[in-house]
Amino acid sequence: MKLKNPLDMHLHLRDKLMLELVAPLSAKDFRAAVIMPNLIPPLCDIKSLRSYKERILKASNDKCFTPLMTLFFKNYDEKFLEKAKDEIFAIKLYPAGITTNSDNGISNFEIEALKPTLEAMSALNIPLLIHGETNDFVMDRESNFAKIYEKLAKNFKNLKIVMEHITTKTLCNLLKDYENLYATITLHHLMLTLDDVIGGKMKPHLFCKPIAKTYEDKTTLCELAFNGYEKVMFGSDSAPHPQSEKECCGCAAGIFSAPIALSVLAELFQKYSNQENLQKFISDNACKIHRLKFKEDKIITLNNEDWQVPNEYKNENEKIIPFMAGENLKFQVKP
């Protein structure tokens, strides 16, 4: 099986030793990835963004991998955004305190408060990526955020809005109601429900935000992805945390799926769909939505060859447990 220019439209690479460990794993399999800005401190200026991009390129050590950089949302003025436009792919909005390193996110979603920045982004064709969750009962957070998505879509019709890592039937249906709404879907949300996470003993390496939902929600996500729906894109939301921060009281939210994403997607689409729809999900839809073009194509070959997922990935100071650690997969990315 061959895939042309696989794209990860939502990726966490962290920084320092963690960056050095995980960046090569994504760079090997993907042509480009949208890099999340929720570092400490978050990426809010061009100097910091450029520096981070340089660190990513150095760590990934792959000339055919493009980090698509994002800024952490705040009330930027039009003058700043005009200067930033050629440096960034998008701007990422986090509700305050809703997920990892989001304490400096947005608390006020009133249109007048957001209007100057969002109107400037619309004029400059800068996409808005959103982690869409409210701060109430955990299973309802994403569905309850639908009203905010609707308000933004109605008031900023020329703004391209990407609902990140959607997990609910509610948001799947919302995609069909507004022309300017798009979405990313993760690998793990195509596979997991809350029952997998806490139905028996708690499995900390399956704990993520947004939390996995119901069987009905998962089925609706799978229908969009496997049927080649053109408004959804693959975004791994691969989010590495040290083993010590996952296997503890106060478990960190995040699933590290980067090393196995293409292999597992190939298996899922072979079973439930076809290679054409996998190509759409993994690349073509995103290229069409965001008008992405690459000077050099990256062709990834997946051999129908059994292999076992490593139990861990580590360097001198970091150890991460990957999604599906120790399990046997049917497709392997050719070296």
Side-chain angles (χ1 to χ4, degrees):
M1 181 185 297
K2 293 184 183 297
L3 296 173
K4 180 181 177 181
N5 294 330
L7 305 175
D8 186 341
M9 301 303 290
H10 184 133
L11 179 64
H12 296 272
L13 290 177
R14 311 305 190 199
D15 210 348
K16 301 179 181 177
L17 287 174
M18 182 68 84
L19 170 65
E20 293 174 9
L21 176 58
V22 303
L25 299 170
S26 288
K28 176 177 70 72
D29 291 356
F30 292 90
R31 179 62 183 83
V34 178
I35 310 300
M36 295 297 106
N38 55 331
L39 304 181
I40 300 177
L43 297 178
C44 296
D45 64 88
I46 297 304
K47 182 179 179 181
S48 298
L49 182 138
R50 286 174 179 166
S51 177
Y52 186 41
K53 183 176 182 178
E54 289 175 3
R55 297 196 298 278
I56 292 169
L57 290 170
K58 182 179 179 181
S60 62
N61 194 29
D62 189 323
K63 294 180 180 179
C64 206
F65 175 72
T66 302
L68 302 171
M69 306 303 294
T70 64
L71 285 172
F72 193 96
F73 187 96
K74 65 178 187 176
N75 290 321
Y76 300 109
D77 60 34
E78 186 172 4
K79 185 178 180 180
F80 172 83
L81 291 175
E82 285 177 349
K83 292 181 180 178
K85 182 179 185 302
D86 292 336
E87 305 271 357
I88 64 175
F89 170 77
I91 293 177
K92 177 65 180 282
L93 186 154
Y94 294 91
I98 205 66
T99 191
T100 304
N101 302 341
S102 64
D103 291 345
N104 294 313
I106 297 298
S107 298
N108 184 1
F109 283 93
E110 293 301 318
I111 292 300
E112 289 305 311
L114 300 172
K115 189 173 183 178
T117 300
L118 296 186
E119 284 191 338
M121 289 174 62
S122 299
L124 294 168
N125 195 30
I126 299 172
L128 176 67
L129 318 180
I130 303 180
H131 181 123
E133 290 189 283
T134 57
N135 194 19
D136 44 20
F137 180 63
V138 68
M139 289 293 284
D140 295 336
R141 289 177 180 182
E142 194 178 69
S143 292
N144 288 348
F145 201 90
K147 293 179 180 179
I148 297 174
Y149 279 131
E150 289 189 274
K151 183 167 64 172
L152 294 173
K154 288 177 181 177
N155 282 275
F156 304 99
K157 294 182 179 179
N158 295 321
L159 179 64
K160 192 176 295 177
I161 301 169
V162 180
M163 304 186 293
E164 296 275 48
H165 44 49
I166 62 172
T167 68
T168 65
K169 183 177 180 179
T170 298
L171 293 192
C172 289
N173 291 335
L174 197 64
L175 269 177
K176 301 168 184 177
D177 294 335
Y178 296 92
E179 185 178 351
N180 57 334
L181 285 182
Y182 303 89
T184 58
I185 298 176
T186 73
L187 168 63
H188 50 274
H189 287 125
L190 292 175
M191 300 178 68
L192 303 175
T193 69
L194 187 59
D195 202 36
D196 296 297
V197 185
I198 58 171
K201 288 186 176 181
M202 168 68 178
K203 296 178 180 177
H205 295 288
L206 300 184
F207 173 59
C208 62
K209 291 185 178 179
I211 197 164
K213 302 297 193 304
T214 68
Y215 288 97
E216 183 181 21
D217 292 315
K218 186 183 81 165
T219 296
T220 310
L221 291 174
C222 288
E223 287 173 352
L224 292 181
F226 296 152
N227 290 332
Y229 185 59
E230 293 185 350
K231 295 186 76 177
V232 300
M233 305 161 276
F234 173 68
S236 71
D237 193 19
S238 181
H241 290 282
Q243 183 179 10
S244 59
E245 292 183 17
K246 292 292 290 182
E247 298 174 3
C248 64
C249 180
C251 167
I255 291 175
F256 178 53
S257 62
I260 54 93
L262 289 187
S263 297
V264 180
L265 284 169
E267 190 169 336
L268 289 175
F269 275 78
Q270 184 190 59
K271 185 175 182 179
Y272 298 111
S273 182
N274 56 57
Q275 188 173 340
E276 179 182 355
N277 286 338
L278 174 57
Q279 179 63 41
K280 288 180 181 179
F281 183 60
I282 203 70
S283 183
D284 293 355
N285 289 351
C287 287
K288 183 177 180 180
I289 291 165
H290 294 293
R291 299 178 183 177
L292 290 170
K293 295 182 179 179
F294 302 99
K295 292 181 180 179
E296 180 182 354
D297 290 334
K298 188 171 190 174
I299 306 299
I300 295 296
T301 300
L302 291 132
N303 292 333
N304 199 335
E305 181 179 318
D306 287 356
W307 66 288
Q308 187 176 53
V309 180
N311 288 316
E312 61 187 31
Y313 288 86
K314 64 181 180 179
N315 59 18
E316 54 191 281
N317 284 325
E318 303 285 5
K319 182 189 290 187
I320 320 166
I321 309 301
F323 186 39
M324 301 182 74
E327 295 190 32
N328 292 319
L329 303 181
K330 293 182 179 179
F331 285 92
Q332 185 171 21
V333 176
K334 183 179 178 180

